[in-house]
């Protein structure tokens, strides 16, 4: 039994490297970055989403997360690293932002096929 485990060990360790793909990592970050999920405000694939509807003295209002599917990587980086009235400020590295960006791009090419 112990011998079998030892034989498996290199396999288990070797599996670590490609354990999750770049796409899966992007999906993970998009859905669960440090803080609030992007999906909560920008929809599952970045298509945008109504966050909340409310009523004030001007009537019915809604707060909406914009469609971010066509934002360039540079635009994304700028948005994620700056202050907004609604969107939280994230402290993500360029690499993490790029991964999220790649995820949104890939997810949306899959859907249009
Ligand atoms: C609490 C809701 C919320 C969350 C969470 C959120 N956003 Fe946003 N985002 C917004 C809103 C609303 C705007 C429009 C600017 C504003 O009013 O803050 C915006 C703007 C943007 C923009 C710029 C869009 C434009 O039209 O220029 C990008 C890119 C973006 N968000 C990406 C992200 C990513 C990636 C995440 C996750 C790391 C994220 N957002 C998380 C609500 C959110």
């Amino acid at each position: 039994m112990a011998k079998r485990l030892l034989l498996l060990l290199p396999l288990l360790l070797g599996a670590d490297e490609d354990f999750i793909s770049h796409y899966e990592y992007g999906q993970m970050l998009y859905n669960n970055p440090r803080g609030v999920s992007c999906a909560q405000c920008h929809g599952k694939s970045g298509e945008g989403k109504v966050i909340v509807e409310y009523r004030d003295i001007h009537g019915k209002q809604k707060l909406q997360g914009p469609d971010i599917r066509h934002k360039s990587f540079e635009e994304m980086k700028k948005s994620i690293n700056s202050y907004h009235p609604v969107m939280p400020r994230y402290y993500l590295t360029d690499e993490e932002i790029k991964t999220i960006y790649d995820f949104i791009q890939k997810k949306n090419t899959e859907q249009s096929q």
Side-chain angles (χ1 to χ4, degrees), residues 14-81:
D16 192 40
E17 199 180 337
D18 241 347
F19 187 51
I20 57 169
S21 67
H22 185 69
Y23 177 77
E24 285 165 333
Y25 180 47
Q27 182 170 37
M28 214 175 77
L29 279 176
Y30 181 78
N31 288 311
N32 194 11
R34 297 182 203 113
V36 194
S37 162
C38 318
Q40 248 176 50
C41 300
H42 294 285
K44 252 170 77 184
S45 316
E47 71 278 15
K49 198 182 145 184
V50 174
I51 304 166
V52 65
E53 279 181 305
Y54 59 97
R55 204 172 263 286
D56 66 11
I57 51 164
H58 307 293
K60 225 175 166 179
Q61 306 286 327
K62 60 181 175 189
L63 185 63
Q64 203 157 1
D67 183 343
I68 54 169
R69 287 172 300 181
H70 307 294
K71 294 284 155 201
S72 70
F73 171 60
E74 286 305 319
E75 288 172 315
M76 237 180 174
K77 213 162 82 177
K78 229 176 105 196
S79 305
I80 294 176
N81 287 324

